[in-house]
Amino acid sequence: MLFFCIALPHGCIFYALPAMLEFMQAHLYIVATPIGNLEDITLRALRVLKECDMVLCEDTRVTRKLLTHFDIQKPLVSYHAHSGFTKFDKVLELLKEGKTLALVSDAGTPTISDPGAVLVAQVREQFGDEVKIEVVPGASAVTGALSIAGVPADSFLFLGFPPHKKGRKTFFDTLATEKYTTVFYESPHRIMKALESLVERLPATKKVVVVRELTKIHEEVVTGTASYVLTHFQEHADTVRGEFVVIVV
């Protein structure tokens, strides 16, 4: 049987099997977390979060609440859209040291309409196969919304969040002629403007489905023409809160 000899401090010698060396390889786990209901976290996600050396997250306050709920105590490092090169260099150093890191977002699957995508791309470019990147799949607002919307979903187009300013008009113009089922996210602060844009541009043959507060107590699905959906939320202004998934068919 083949062994590898590794020199340790103080003159010690450590003999390792190939499988043990693989265990020592730096890991970056992409861990999906619940989008509302904490019971949706997977057993594997809990194990990885318990065993990793550090958790990379968007908002340390949000992730700390999640870990505390499951009695997990781990160092947290914020990594978000505004993280600079200094923060990225810190992540690189941790991986060079052979650390096991878990990347999470505030909710759902990291890297999907999420700044974590840039980190994964950079780690792959920097390290290649030296760092093992593994997915720990779980909750996703895109697939969750499609599963209960009652629309064709054998093929669909996901567009993330609409642009705030530049390109926003083009974004909604494109939806009017798109042949695929189209999904995008919108915040509670801009959902009414988004629905108004859909009313202005979509033909009457297009159906709109708005899903909000997925997996939470007040989960709601509103289906109809763009005009109908807009009127619904105008008449129920108290429900314009939480995260929205909009589907256009």
Side-chain angles (χ1 to χ4, degrees):
M1 183 177 291
L2 180 64
F3 286 83
F4 290 87
C5 179
I6 302 175
L8 297 176
H10 310 298
C12 298
I13 300 295
F14 175 66
Y15 293 94
L17 292 169
M20 297 174 70
L21 287 178
E22 182 179 352
F23 177 77
M24 296 168 63
Q25 181 184 21
H27 277 70
L28 175 61
Y29 286 98
I30 312 304
V31 183
T33 55
I35 56 177
N37 192 322
L38 295 183
E39 292 181 357
D40 291 336
I41 198 164
T42 68
L43 294 176
R44 185 177 175 217
L46 289 175
R47 178 181 62 78
V48 168
L49 291 172
K50 289 177 181 178
E51 295 178 355
C52 70
D53 295 305
M54 190 170 294
V55 178
L56 309 177
C57 55
E58 286 185 82
D59 188 329
T60 56
R61 296 166 298 181
V62 173
T63 301
R64 179 64 67 196
K65 288 180 181 178
L66 174 69
L67 297 185
T68 299
H69 179 82
F70 291 105
D71 196 26
I72 299 173
Q73 295 183 352
K74 287 293 175 180
L76 303 180
V77 174
S78 62
Y79 189 89
H80 45 72
H82 304 292
S83 294
F85 289 109
T86 302
K87 189 63 64 70
F88 177 64
D89 288 342
K90 180 176 182 178
V91 174
L92 291 185
E93 285 301 318
L94 291 169
L95 292 172
K96 287 178 181 177
E97 294 170 7
K99 300 294 186 182
T100 294
L101 307 180
L103 173 67
V104 302
S105 65
D106 285 348
T109 301
T111 80
I112 307 301
S113 191
D114 175 85
V118 177
L119 174 64
V120 173
Q122 291 175 325
V123 170
R124 285 202 178 279
E125 181 178 348
Q126 183 87 8
F127 292 100
D129 295 334
E130 294 178 17
V131 172
K132 191 169 185 179
I133 302 177
E134 293 188 48
V135 62
V136 183
S140 171
V142 179
T143 53
L146 283 169
S147 71
I148 62 173
V151 300
D154 50 341
S155 59
F156 63 90
L157 180 65
F158 174 61
L159 300 177
F161 284 92
H164 291 180
K165 295 181 180 179
K166 185 178 180 181
R168 190 173 177 88
K169 181 180 181 299
T170 302
F171 178 94
F172 287 102
D173 285 342
T174 302
L175 293 177
T177 57
E178 180 55 58
K179 64 179 181 178
Y180 291 108
T181 296
T182 307
V183 187
F184 66 91
Y185 293 155
E186 191 54 287
S187 72
H189 309 294
R190 285 183 288 273
I191 185 63
M192 298 306 288
K193 288 186 177 180
L195 292 175
E196 290 170 0
S197 295
L198 293 178
V199 170
E200 293 172 1
R201 292 168 173 81
L202 294 186
T205 54
K206 288 278 191 179
K207 180 167 70 172
V208 175
V209 182
V210 172
V211 183
R212 72 175 192 91
E213 295 287 77
L214 266 171
T215 78
K216 299 179 183 178
I217 295 175
H218 301 293
E219 177 179 285
E220 181 182 21
V221 180
V222 181
T223 304
T225 63
S227 179
Y228 172 84
V229 175
L230 173 61
T231 300
H232 170 85
F233 285 107
Q234 287 174 334
E235 295 176 350
H236 300 83
D238 59 317
T239 66
V240 182
R241 61 183 67 183
E243 299 302 320
F244 289 81
V245 182
V246 182
I247 303 171
V248 179
V249 186

